[in-house]
């Protein structure tokens, strides 16, 4: 894959307006080891079929999904190839997108990235029976295996709506990791087996529901959780979805760019205080993109600037596939 040139780095560093520039910290008191967990959720039309299902969805809404496949994907594949990132990232693809956009999915697979699963019709787990959930997973495993020649090992729940029944299903099918939860924002961990959280039944006496939620568990699953976070993704602030309550669409891209840089800089200075190896600030930096958002002409330039900015930090910052982060995390846990 082509690598980024010094001229491109220099060009990116010349962006100097007050909302898009973040200076590097002055302190260099410790070493750093940062793994950028770059991912793309190729939701396309499926985003309007499952978690985004709405009686008022119409052709204009589905058109955004068509743009994602026909325009957004080729633009992002081209960008990641240009920056030398294609083989160092993960695409999470719903089964519906695999079957609806075969040529574009082939571009993604041919770029050398990891392929993870993301439901079939972007359905939330709570929309499904347990039998449907199992059928969806098996269908998508089969689709991805035929596309790539190997079984997928990663899962991201559509709209992060994972439930307790999902976890044993993923273990049963040999998955290595999930990327749906936010127990932490920058450290992977083995997913614990918590009992289901029961909300209060306010129709009953207060004495029946005034108790803490048990969070400690001596039982860990075999799944590594690679956190994903609303604040590390593009779509909610940068795409307008008429029938989705939390979409915005008119946020300046430089606001999101600056927020991501601010998060990175704080972790660069402080991640070593959170259980990393002594003297080493060791953290992951998840970013989740969507072709219908980051493929837009006014957004993709910001994505390129951000990727180049992260690359400019040198060897202490590496882009990694999610499967590689999961394998390394498991290796640390077994030492």
């Amino acid at each position: 894959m082509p690598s980024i040139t010094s001229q491109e780095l220099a060009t990116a560093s010349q962006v100097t307006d007050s909302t898009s520039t973040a200076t590097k910290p002055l302190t260099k008191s410790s070493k750093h080891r940062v793994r950028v967990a770059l991912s793309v959720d190729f939701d396309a039309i499926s985003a309007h079929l499952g978690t985004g299902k709405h009686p008022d969805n119409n052709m204009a809404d589905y058109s955004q999904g068509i743009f994602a496949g026909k325009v957004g994907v080729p633009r992002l594949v081209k960008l990641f190839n240009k920056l030398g990132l294609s083989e160092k990232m993960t695409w999470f693809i719903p089964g519906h997108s695999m079957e609806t956009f075969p040529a574009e999915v082939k571009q993604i697979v041919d770029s050398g990235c990891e392929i993870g699963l993301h439901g079939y019709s972007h359905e939330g787990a709570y929309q499904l029976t347990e039998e449907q959930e199992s059928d969806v997973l098996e269908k998508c495993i089969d689709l991805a295996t035929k596309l790539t020649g190997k079984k997928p090992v990663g899962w991201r729940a559509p709209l992060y709506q994972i439930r307790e029944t999902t976890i044993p299903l993923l273990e049963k099918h040999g998955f290595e990791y999930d990327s749906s939860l936010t127990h932490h924002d920058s450290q992977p961990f083995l997913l614990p087996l918590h009992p289901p959280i029961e909300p209060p039944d306010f129709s009953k006496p207060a004495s029946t529901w005034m108790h803490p939620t048990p969070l400690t568990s001596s039982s860990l699953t075999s799944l590594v959780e690679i956190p994903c976070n609303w604040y590390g993704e593009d779509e909610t602030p940068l795409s307008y979805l008429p029938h989705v309550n939390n979409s915005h669409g008119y946020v300046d891209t430089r606001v999101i760019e600056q927020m991501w840089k601010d998060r990175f800089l704080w972790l660069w200075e402080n991640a070593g205080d959170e259980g990393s190896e002594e003297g080493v600030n060791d953290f992951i930096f998840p970013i989740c993109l969507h072709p219908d958002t980051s493929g837009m002409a006014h957004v993709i330039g910001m994505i390129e600037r951000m990727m180049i900015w992260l690359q400019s930090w040198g060897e202490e910052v590496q882009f990694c596939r999610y499967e590689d982060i999961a394998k390394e995390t498991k290796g640390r846990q077994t030492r």
Side-chain angles (χ1 to χ4, degrees):
M1 294 296 176
S3 59
I4 187 168
T5 66
S6 58
Q7 179 59 43
E8 288 169 323
L9 282 173
T11 301
S13 68
Q14 291 171 5
V15 178
T16 57
D17 68 83
S18 61
T19 58
S20 66
T21 303
T23 57
K24 295 183 181 181
L26 297 177
T27 59
K28 291 286 287 184
S29 58
S30 60
K31 295 180 180 179
H32 298 80
R33 183 171 180 271
V34 184
R35 286 151 294 164
V36 178
L38 175 62
S39 65
V40 180
D41 289 359
F42 182 15
D43 301 341
I45 297 171
S46 76
H48 305 281
L49 304 179
T51 58
K53 183 179 180 181
H54 192 279
D56 294 334
N57 281 349
N58 55 50
M59 191 59 205
D61 301 299
Y62 302 134
S63 181
Q64 291 180 274
I66 296 171
F67 171 91
K70 296 298 184 180
V71 181
V73 166
R75 284 179 177 176
L76 288 177
V77 169
K78 181 179 180 181
L79 173 63
F80 299 140
N81 283 340
K82 170 186 173 182
L83 299 180
L85 298 178
S86 295
E87 297 179 350
K88 305 171 185 177
M89 61 179 297
T90 300
W91 286 68
F92 293 95
I93 309 181
H96 183 274
S97 297
M98 294 182 194
E99 295 194 297
T100 304
F101 299 98
E104 290 73 27
V105 170
K106 186 176 187 302
Q107 289 182 41
I108 296 169
V109 173
D110 289 349
S111 74
C113 64
E114 177 199 1
I115 302 297
L117 297 189
H118 196 44
Y120 185 86
S121 296
H122 206 269
E123 55 285 302
Y126 294 95
Q127 293 175 283
L128 306 176
T129 65
E130 291 186 30
E131 181 180 7
Q132 288 175 318
E133 186 178 25
S134 178
D135 289 345
V136 165
L137 185 62
E138 290 178 7
K139 166 78 171 180
C140 294
I141 290 172
D142 182 60
L143 286 172
T145 302
K146 289 176 180 176
L147 276 171
T148 66
K150 67 175 186 177
K151 287 182 66 175
V153 297
W155 171 263
R156 175 174 289 153
L159 212 66
Y160 310 134
Q161 291 183 8
I162 193 170
R163 66 180 179 188
E164 289 82 6
T165 56
T166 314
I167 297 169
L169 270 178
L170 295 176
E171 289 192 291
K172 173 185 174 183
H173 288 284
F175 279 71
E176 296 287 340
Y177 70 88
D178 170 65
S179 181
S180 311
L181 301 176
T182 56
H183 290 41
H184 205 288
D185 61 355
S186 56
Q187 297 293 339
F189 54 92
L190 286 180
L191 188 60
L193 277 176
H194 295 315
I197 295 177
E198 298 291 341
D201 183 349
F202 293 117
S203 69
K204 295 181 179 179
S207 60
T208 66
W209 45 257
M210 290 193 299
H211 54 76
T213 298
L215 294 180
T216 57
S217 175
S218 59
S219 181
L220 297 175
T221 72
S222 62
L223 293 170
V224 173
E225 186 62 40
I226 301 176
C228 198
N229 189 291
W230 289 109
Y231 300 100
E233 71 160 60
D234 57 349
E235 187 159 45
T236 300
L238 297 176
S239 279
Y240 175 61
L241 305 170
H243 313 306
V244 177
N245 291 333
N246 67 342
S247 76
H248 299 279
Y250 296 94
V251 175
D252 190 326
T253 58
R254 290 163 184 80
V255 172
I256 306 307
E257 181 180 1
Q258 187 64 48
M259 180 178 68
W260 290 352
K261 290 178 178 180
D262 288 344
R263 290 184 62 190
F264 181 93
L265 291 171
W266 190 92
L267 291 167
W268 181 270
E269 292 288 350
N270 296 283
D273 299 332
E274 299 183 335
S276 302
E277 179 184 342
E278 185 176 358
V280 179
N281 283 28
D282 187 347
F283 62 93
I284 65 169
F285 190 71
I287 296 177
C288 175
L289 308 178
H290 299 77
D292 50 340
T293 304
S294 288
M296 289 191 289
H298 69 286
V299 178
I300 194 168
M302 180 274 281
I303 301 302
E304 180 170 11
R305 289 197 307 270
M306 186 69 200
M307 297 304 106
I308 292 174
W309 185 83
L310 288 168
Q311 289 177 313
S312 74
W313 289 77
E315 294 183 356
E316 290 182 305
V317 176
Q318 298 292 326
F319 285 74
C320 296
R321 298 172 178 227
Y322 279 55
E323 62 181 338
D324 294 331
I325 295 173
K327 289 175 184 176
E328 183 186 31
T329 302
K330 282 190 175 182
R332 290 185 181 186
Q333 295 288 337
T334 56
R335 288 175 193 166

